[in-house]
Amino acid sequence: LEEAIEAVTLAGFSYVLPNGQKKHLSPVKQKSVSNNLGYEQIVLNAIKDKINSSNLNVAAAALLALSEFPGEETFDILFEKLGEDNDLIRKNAISGVCRYQNVLQNRIIDALKSSNWVVRNSALVCISNICDNDNDVEKFIVPLTQVCNDTNTIVQALALTTLAKVYQVYNKNKKV
């Protein structure tokens, strides 16, 4: 019963207990905010508090919001979430990584060597998305050829199509 009450409350609904007693949402918990922090840090803290929310939509939204604040801590979180089971969270992490593609190229290549196949696959999606912007993609060619031999066939398949796409963009940019 406790778990059901928590689930209903987290979903934002009122409920009626078996004894007929009606319960409503409790007011939002107010966190104390230190006046010593600047607004950016206050905003970042509020967003980071929700990154691991049990509500996946809230966690995904927090991840997307976090990507508005470039920095090593943000990048670490984005790369951590590339291996997330939830598709929406993973897509938001990919979007955040792609947003800073020029800064994160080496980290994307490193993600291709992850022990987690979902992270490797997400890194491939990042590279594919980067190609859509006609960026300098030469750096990806050799690492992609290595991923074409991945132990996971899903990763292999995406690596092959991504490699072809990268090579086409490379050739197009080379002629210009």
Side-chain angles (χ1 to χ4, degrees):
L1 183 64
E2 299 280 331
E3 289 175 0
I5 290 172
E6 182 180 354
V8 169
T9 303
L10 283 174
F13 297 102
S14 299
Y15 54 92
V16 178
L17 293 172
N19 64 6
Q21 183 181 16
K22 291 183 180 182
K23 294 284 185 169
H24 301 284
L25 290 176
S26 21
V28 176
K29 297 176 190 170
Q30 296 293 326
K31 292 186 90 175
S32 62
V33 176
S34 171
N35 291 333
N36 297 334
L37 299 176
Y39 283 134
E40 182 171 334
Q41 195 58 50
I42 292 169
V43 171
L44 270 171
N45 289 344
I47 292 169
K48 288 189 292 187
D49 281 350
K50 298 300 179 186
I51 290 291
N52 294 312
S53 171
S54 59
N55 182 305
L56 298 176
N57 288 324
V58 171
L63 193 59
L64 199 56
L66 182 68
S67 70
E68 296 285 336
F69 298 88
E72 283 305 311
E73 185 179 16
T74 294
F75 300 152
D76 290 344
I77 293 169
L78 291 172
F79 275 92
E80 174 190 326
K81 298 296 183 180
L82 287 180
E84 182 68 37
D85 290 337
N86 180 273
D87 194 42
L88 182 58
I89 291 174
R90 191 172 56 255
K91 283 180 180 179
N92 286 356
I94 290 168
S95 174
V97 168
C98 290
R99 185 175 202 174
Y100 303 105
Q101 59 201 10
N102 296 333
V103 176
L104 298 176
Q105 277 188 346
N106 290 334
R107 285 185 76 168
I108 294 168
I109 291 169
D110 289 343
L112 292 172
K113 301 170 192 158
S114 171
S115 60
N116 181 339
W117 76 269
V118 178
V119 172
R120 295 192 306 274
N121 210 56
S122 295
L124 290 168
V125 172
C126 288
I127 293 169
S128 181
N129 290 348
I130 289 169
C131 284
D132 292 340
N133 297 329
D134 280 339
N135 285 301
D136 179 23
V137 294
E138 183 176 2
K139 196 175 209 175
F140 295 120
I141 293 174
V142 172
L144 283 172
T145 60
Q146 296 164 347
V147 180
C148 288
N149 295 318
D150 198 275
T151 56
N152 184 294
T153 56
I154 295 169
V155 174
Q156 273 184 35
L158 186 56
L160 290 167
T161 58
T162 303
L163 178 61
K165 189 174 181 180
V166 164
Y167 185 70
Q168 292 305 315
V169 171
Y170 168 73
N171 265 342
K172 180 180 159 189
N173 290 344
K174 191 171 84 170
K175 292 176 185 174
V176 173

